[in-house]
RNA sequence: GCGGGCGUGGCGAAACUGGUAGACGCAACGGACUUAAAAUUCGUAGGGCCGCAAGGCCCAUGGGGGUUCAAGUCCCCCCGCCCGCACCA
């Protein structure tokens, strides 16, 4: 009997309906099974689901379904990261309100996600742009404010001229806005910050415990970003024309206090108070500072500009060498942001100081002698020496190691009140103000008399006005005719609302908590977060290595400190998926073409592409990340409508390891589609042979035993590989088993029908996490009226996982010459005897005496001649 | 410059703590089925050499050294690619 072709699109709709009707994936809190919180980064509702989403949610769904079968009470929720600038841009371009645009996109994308057959508890869904979500975010903000974790200050900030808003440091990539790509300018503005630096040390140290559970590159990226360096503050007394008391000494930060005896100049930032003070009296200096400022409007330009200094005429007394003075320069490469905005220059042991000293004729005195070098002839005239060594030219430090010298200097300075040890960080506080409409309003009121006044709890949420206009640049909240005018909750006087909204990364910093109790009247509920947090496995894109993943770690600590959280680390394990890439196509005119507009013929070098509509040749370009601008996108809807969601899911998980980029190919998808049909066909044949489970016969023939071993070995291996997120290997093992099953289907043997039936059932359960619809369909064909989604993961029979007879390789002098099939528990002696008796071994030895035989039982034997 | 990751057939890849390199799949080639195609199915297959054949031998995990009975895996040097940080004092 030829089995019918499996109509995936039709059957998938059916099973999705069944799951929904039976509330199969509704997660209950009052369930005694152990919990498992599986989460993928929630999507921004940009319009339509793209292949990156399909990959992300497939990867998570395989894990969620597997863990469900393994007996866990799985929380696998979904929601919408719904605030953000694209909604406002749409409002400007298409005259549609951001809310309308956003909620329409959510409806579209939700339907698309549902067509993927994800095991999601949709009852916990929320959108961050909904007041029922952001009211709690405003509560969290006010508690952070009270705890000193949120504050407002004037600072030099990154201004994105395209977004018309400020950006956090993390959102500036290579001097450009992370979303707009516009060159970011520096502006002095009064803005809201979160005090992430309060947790710099904690955030750094906890990374050490992540090994094996978080990708290495994420941990190192975060370490680099936090940028901890241990050093020393040193005070230099200044001598100069009438310096005010405040400026009578200059404090610097250094990581090389051991090289103090090699100091030959001082340098301060153009923004340093001392520079600013001196500029008032020096036109030349003021001009120099102005010149620095002009270059320094962008980070990029700042980094490339030529190093320049201006000798102020002020001198600093060397704290370790009484009577010696050092000239103080204003230099364009000193950052006010880092350390104290001032340094001492030791040209002999620092590249930049070396360059500077040569340009401005300062002496270069070496103070660290490399191991084995001769003090009399050692020279740093051409380049500085940056390595370790022994101190010299340094009076009471002579002979010490670099480390010992650092300690001795630190103690010496401390005793005299001239400095102390200091840990410095690169990490800056998180700037969360945005001059945008479509974000969570910052719930404070500015009163002339009372200052910053929190909006009282009873007045929360501070809702966005619905009647904002988007027809001109700038902040629509600020433009609104009435919204910002209010009265002070404290004194009742006229007052003004804060018109900044929060960075949308705030929204995503705590959403995992909200899924635990999505309808609660408080931001979180202790019993619920104790039940579910932390997330056991988080899956998302690599681009959030520092952004979202650092913010969320900070937020967990802030929430704990303010009584809203229960853990320091929100994500026990993190997995970063690769991106989906595709070939690009261009017409001769240079215009990009969609894959669906192109026909491909031939193979390898003879591969040719033609534009279907015009018949003109097409240039096949590089394989790049799917993007609208390159038009190398494949719409998930088309794939699901044609092949079904299971095929898309199978293609996603086969072949490419989940953390690597995956090349989307039309051929590969068709191949996955054929595998889906093949499994369906094989199950039909199984059902034909054994419509019901068969009693196990007393005796099993060799074929039955072979099949059972293949099935149970695959079962065990597939489980392990799913747990380790090696889905591609799991799929390969399923195929291997499938090959065995298929080859035995037409044969007969003692107990083979029993084994075939068993294998068919195990196959269906094994593919369940990846191909949930097909598996459900096959489960019904096997005669069950239960749902596969409710079946426990079967237990592999331990006895079938080991073989009685095993084949081991036989090497002579390390080269494989033969193989040997022996009993599993054969002793080393038995194996040695058998190996030495092999004709192939005798021949390879060519008469040479055997010197040694190495036997690794169950693996290998090596005869050394 | 500092730090992290990676480099295996035509392609995607596999290989547990050093122990038969290339599982599994894609593409390819040959055969069967078919009026034909699709679908399906059986088979071949890292490169090279010897042999009618059975079979045997050599070379192969970016390159070069080393440790070891044994190296894709460990160590050193070099080349290339990807990522993070970078006038950071």
């Amino acid at each position: 009997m030829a089995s019918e072709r499996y109509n995936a699109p039709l059957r998938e709709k059916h099973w999705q309906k069944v799951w929904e009707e039976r509330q199969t994936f509704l997660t209950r809190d009052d369930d005694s099974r152990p919990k498992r919180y599986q989460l993928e980064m929630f999507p921004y509702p940009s319009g339509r689901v793209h292949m990156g989403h399909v990959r992300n949610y497939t990867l998570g769904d395989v894990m969620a379904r597997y863990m469900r079968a393994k007996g866990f009470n799985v929380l696998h929720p979904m929601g919408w990261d719904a605030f953000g600038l694209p909604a406002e841009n749409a409002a400007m371009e298409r005259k549609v309100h951001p809310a309308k645009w956003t909620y329409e996109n959510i409806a579209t994308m939700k339907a698309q996600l549902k067509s993927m057959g994800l095991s999601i508890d949709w009852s916990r869904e929320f959108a961050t742009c909904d007041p029922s979500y952001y009211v709690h975010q405003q509560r969290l903000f006010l508690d952070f404010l009270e705890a000193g974790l949120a504050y407002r200050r004037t600072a030099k900030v990154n201004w994105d001229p395209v977004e018309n808003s400020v950006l956090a440091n993390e959102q500036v990539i290579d001097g450009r806005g992370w979303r707009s790509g516009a060159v970011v300018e520096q502006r002095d503005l009064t803005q809201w910050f979160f005090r992430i630096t309060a947790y710099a040390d904690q955030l750094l140290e906890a990374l050490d415990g992540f090994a094996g559970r978080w990708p290495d590159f994420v941990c190192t990226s975060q370490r680099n970003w936090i940028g901890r360096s241990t050093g020393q503050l040193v005070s230099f007394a200044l001598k100069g024309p009438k310096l005010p008391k405040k400026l009578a000494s200059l404090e610097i930060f250094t990581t090389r206090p051991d090289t103090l005896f090699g100091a030959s100049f001082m340098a301060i930032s153009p923004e340093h108070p001392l520079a600013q003070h001196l500029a008032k009296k020096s036109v030349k200096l003021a001009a120099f500072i102005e010149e620095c400022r002009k270059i320094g409007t962008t980070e990029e330009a700042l980094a490339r500009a030529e190093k320049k200094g201006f000798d102020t005429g002020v001198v600093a007394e060397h704290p370790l060498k009484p009577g010696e003075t050092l000239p103080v320069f204003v230099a364009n490469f000193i950052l006010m942001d880092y350390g104290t905005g001032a340094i001492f220059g030791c040209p002999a042991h620092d590249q930049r100081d070396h360059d500077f000293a040569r340009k401005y004729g300062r002496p270069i005195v070496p103070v660290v002698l490399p191991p084995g070098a001769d003090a009399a002839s050692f020279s740093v005239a051409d380049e500085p020496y940056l390595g370790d060594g022994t101190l010299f030219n340094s009076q009471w430090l002579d002979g010490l190691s670099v480390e010992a010298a650092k300690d001795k200097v630190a103690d010496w300075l401390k005793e005299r009140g001239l400095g102390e040890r200091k840990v410095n960080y690169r990490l800056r506080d998180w700037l969360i103000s945005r001059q945008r409409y479509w974000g969570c309003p910052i719930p404070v009121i500015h009163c002339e008399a009372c200052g910053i006044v929190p909006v009282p709890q009873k007045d929360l949420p501070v809702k966005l006005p619905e009647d904002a206009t988007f027809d001109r640049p700038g902040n629509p909240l600020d433009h609104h005719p009435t919204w910002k005018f209010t009265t002070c909750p404290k004194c009742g006087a006229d007052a003004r609302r804060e018109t900044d909204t929060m960075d949308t990364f705030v929204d995503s910093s705590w959403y995992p908590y909200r899924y635990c109790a999505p309808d609660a009247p408080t931001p979180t509920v202790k019993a619920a977060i104790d039940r579910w947090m932390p997330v056991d496995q988080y899956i998302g894109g690599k681009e959030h290595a520092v952004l979202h993943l650092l913010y969320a770690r900070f937020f967990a600590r802030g929430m704990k400190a303010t009584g809203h959280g229960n853990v320091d680390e929100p994500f026990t394990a993190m997995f970063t998926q690769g991106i989906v890439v595709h070939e690009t196509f261009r017409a001769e005119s240079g215009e990009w073409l969609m894959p669906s507009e192109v026909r491909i013929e031939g193979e390898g070098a003879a591969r040719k592409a033609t534009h279907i509509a015009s018949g003109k040749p097409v240039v096949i370009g590089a394989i790049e990340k799917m993007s609208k601008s390159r038009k190398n996108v494949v719409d998930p809807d088309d794939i699901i409508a044609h092949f079904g969601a299971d095929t898309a899911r199978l293609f996603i998980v086969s072949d490419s390891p989940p953390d690597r980029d995956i090349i989307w190919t039309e051929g590969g998808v068709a191949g996955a589609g054929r595998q889906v049909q093949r499994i369906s066909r094989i199950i039909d044949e199984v059902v034909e042979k054994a419509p019901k489970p068969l009693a196990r016969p007393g005796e099993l023939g060799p074929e039955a035993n072979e099949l059972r071993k293949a099935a149970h070995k695959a079962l065990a291996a597939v489980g392990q590989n799913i747990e380790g997120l090696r889905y591609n290997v799991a799929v390969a093992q399923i195929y291997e088993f499938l090959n065995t099953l298929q080859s035995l289907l037409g044969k007969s043997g003692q107990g083979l029908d029993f084994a075939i039936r068993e294998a068919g059932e195990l196959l269906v359960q094994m593919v369940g996490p990846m191909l949930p619809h097909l598996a459900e369909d096959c489960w019904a064909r096997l005669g069950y009226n239960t749902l596969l989604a409710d079946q426990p993961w079967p237990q592999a029979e331990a006895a079938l996982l080991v073989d009685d007879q095993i084949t081991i390789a036989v090497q002579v002098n390390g080269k494989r010459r033969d193989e040997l099939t022996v009993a599993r528990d054969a002793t080393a002696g038995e194996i040695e005897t058998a190996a030495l008796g092999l004709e192939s071994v005798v021949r390879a030895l060519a008469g040479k005496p055997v010197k040694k035989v190495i036997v690794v039982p169950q693996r290998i034997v090596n005869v050394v001649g």
Side-chain angles (χ1 to χ4, degrees), chain A residues 14 94 111 127 159 165 276 291 409 428 467 575 661 687 724 793:
Chain A
H14 169 73
R94 298 180 222 172
W159 177 263
S165 180
Q276 296 289 320
E291 191 189 326
V409 169
R428 293 282 156 267
D467 57 347
F575 188 88
D661 293 352
V687 171
W793 190 258

Side-chain angles (χ1 to χ4, degrees), chain A residues 154 204 468 781:
Chain A
T154 305
L204 183 71
R781 281 186 240 164

Side-chain angles (χ1 to χ4, degrees), chain A residues 57-109:
Chain A
Y57 302 131
T58 297
L59 296 178
D61 197 51
V62 170
M63 185 63 81
R65 285 181 178 267
Y66 172 75
M67 285 300 169
R68 202 161 180 280
K70 285 293 273 186
F72 289 90
N73 185 28
V74 174
L75 176 58
H76 187 214
M78 181 61 72
W80 308 95
D81 188 11
F83 272 138
L85 196 56
E88 264 178 87
N89 290 340
M92 266 186 269
E93 288 161 18
R94 298 180 222 172
K95 312 271 182 246
V96 54
H97 194 276
K100 186 173 186 315
W101 184 84
T102 302
Y103 281 104
E104 281 175 4
N105 287 346
I106 287 174
T108 305
M109 292 173 73

